[in-house]
Amino acid sequence: VPVLLFVAAPYIRRYVAGGRCKSTARMEGKVVIITGANTGIGKATARDLAQRGKVIIACRDIAKAEAAASEIRAETGNQQVIVKKLDLADTKSIREFAEKFLAEEKELHVLINNAGVMLCPYSKTVDGFEMHLGVNHLGHFLLTFLLLECLKQSAPSRIVNVSSLAHHGGRIRFHDLHGEKCYNRGLAYCHSKLANVLFTRELARRLQGKFQRQVGFTANALHPGSVSSELVRHSLVMTWLWKIFSFFLKSPCEGAQTTIYCAVAEELDSVTGQYFSDCRPAYVSPRGRDDETAKKLWSVSCELLGIQWD
């Protein structure tokens, strides 16, 4: 058995690694924002895209973000890797980030909503939203809203939402969105990842039409795979399981491939409203294809954030 495992190991690793983005597309003169790019998948995505163009790392922890940016600059030779403060658990911070970005930059070509929290003990954001819903969905919903006109004016442009296979276990519980009646942190994560898929679907539908067809303004979601990262840090059990089964987990670089693919692949220039995994279209749960729920979630999200997004 040990001999068989030794022989099979490279093939197992190749299978676990999944698809790779083969696009060599350059992004000179283009601007990319990646949220949560100071570690894990986000950092690996930033490293790749920094070899193609300008990257803005939007993070809550400035010290960690600066360390990651410095490392990426040294590795890629690209000095246009910039750190900006963004706390997705605080709508004031999101608005301040957007205001400063729009004052300093004329264009935005790719917005990658990558940051996320997972398995948090029950807590709320500054604005009173359940943490998973507030950071993973509402924070990115507001950020996208605030940057949408800039993305439109910079088209062709793309919005990439990092969701998860976990969306299959999610439900949008409109009667208890903030988990005040019943809370399970695993399910809360699943619910927020389903919200990512539904947001992408409804956003793409709203972007459809003459404008989108002419210039290629797209929004897609993805599952990065099971990745060895800090995302499970709130769960001691999951942290240990991740260590024990690390051989069967993707590295951050491998996990970033589908995000990179959605951001740069030429064949996706006019593809919108889709869900990808391993750099190819993937199955979406029936709840993730429910247009009525998507529309209602959009409306409720606008109401919670105090915005009008028609």
Side-chain angles (χ1 to χ4, degrees):
V1 173
V3 173
L4 287 174
L5 287 174
F6 179 78
V7 172
Y11 301 97
I12 295 171
R13 275 305 309 159
R14 197 175 305 159
Y15 175 78
V16 169
R20 292 194 66 85
C21 176
K22 299 176 181 179
S23 173
T24 57
R26 302 296 302 168
M27 301 182 74
E28 284 90 354
K30 295 191 175 183
V31 180
V32 179
I33 291 176
I34 310 174
T35 66
N38 63 330
T39 187
I41 299 169
K43 182 180 176 182
T45 303
R47 182 184 293 111
D48 180 281
L49 297 185
Q51 297 176 48
R52 306 172 191 253
K54 183 174 181 176
V55 174
I56 294 175
I57 293 176
C59 292
R60 178 178 57 85
D61 191 324
I62 292 295
K64 284 187 178 180
E66 287 289 2
S70 179
E71 184 182 317
I72 292 169
R73 290 187 206 109
E75 290 178 4
T76 63
N78 181 4
Q79 297 306 304
Q80 288 192 308
V81 180
I82 300 166
V83 172
K84 299 288 184 185
K85 171 80 171 180
L86 172 65
D87 185 353
L88 288 161
D90 183 352
T91 58
K92 181 181 178 183
S93 174
I94 298 169
R95 290 182 181 278
E96 287 176 351
F97 168 86
E99 185 179 345
K100 289 178 181 177
F101 172 84
L102 295 173
E104 296 171 3
E105 301 287 344
K106 294 181 180 179
E107 295 182 308
L108 174 59
H109 302 90
V110 183
L111 171 61
I112 301 178
N113 291 319
N114 163 82
V117 294
M118 180 180 181
L119 303 175
C120 298
Y122 188 76
S123 57
K124 288 187 175 182
T125 68
V126 172
D127 302 274
F129 309 137
E130 186 277 315
M131 191 60 71
H132 292 90
L133 182 77
V135 171
N136 298 354
H137 169 61
L138 292 171
H140 284 130
F141 187 96
L142 178 59
L143 180 65
T144 305
F145 167 75
L146 295 171
L147 298 176
L148 193 70
E149 285 305 313
C150 186
L151 283 158
K152 280 184 179 180
Q153 292 167 14
S154 308
S157 52
R158 303 183 184 190
I159 297 166
V160 180
N161 294 323
V162 179
S163 180
S164 169
L165 182 70
H167 85 271
H168 285 269
R171 292 182 61 188
I172 306 301
R173 304 170 68 250
F174 290 108
H175 66 286
D176 189 25
L177 271 180
H178 304 294
E180 293 169 327
K181 298 176 182 177
C182 178
Y183 181 75
N184 176 288
R185 56 186 180 174
L187 290 177
Y189 177 73
C190 294
H191 301 335
S192 71
K193 293 292 103 179
L194 174 60
N196 293 154
V197 172
L198 292 170
F199 168 45
T200 304
R201 187 177 184 88
E202 180 63 10
L203 177 59
R205 186 188 71 80
R206 288 168 177 260
L207 294 178
Q208 289 286 353
K210 184 178 179 181
F211 178 85
Q212 189 271 335
R213 284 198 301 269
Q214 284 182 339
V215 298
F217 186 17
T218 64
N220 291 297
L222 66 102
H223 166 55
S226 297
V227 181
S228 179
S229 72
E230 296 179 8
L231 195 59
V232 297
R233 62 186 178 276
H234 292 292
S235 170
L236 184 60
V237 172
M238 288 296 290
T239 299
W240 276 105
L241 286 174
W242 249 227
K243 287 181 180 179
I244 292 169
F245 295 103
S246 60
F247 182 78
F248 300 99
L249 298 175
K250 289 185 178 184
S251 68
C253 180
E254 292 163 349
Q257 293 304 305
T258 306
T259 304
I260 298 164
Y261 175 74
C262 289
V264 306
E266 298 92 333
E267 61 266 32
L268 300 186
D269 282 345
S270 59
V271 175
T272 191
Q274 300 301 305
Y275 173 75
F276 294 86
S277 178
D278 283 328
C279 300
R280 59 178 182 265
Y283 179 74
V284 179
S285 73
R287 290 193 181 107
R289 289 179 270 121
D290 188 328
D291 288 332
E292 290 308 309
T293 300
K295 291 174 185 176
K296 184 174 180 181
L297 177 63
W298 185 285
S299 177
V300 170
S301 298
C302 287
E303 185 178 337
L304 288 170
L305 293 165
I307 60 175
Q308 287 189 321
W309 190 355
D310 299 321

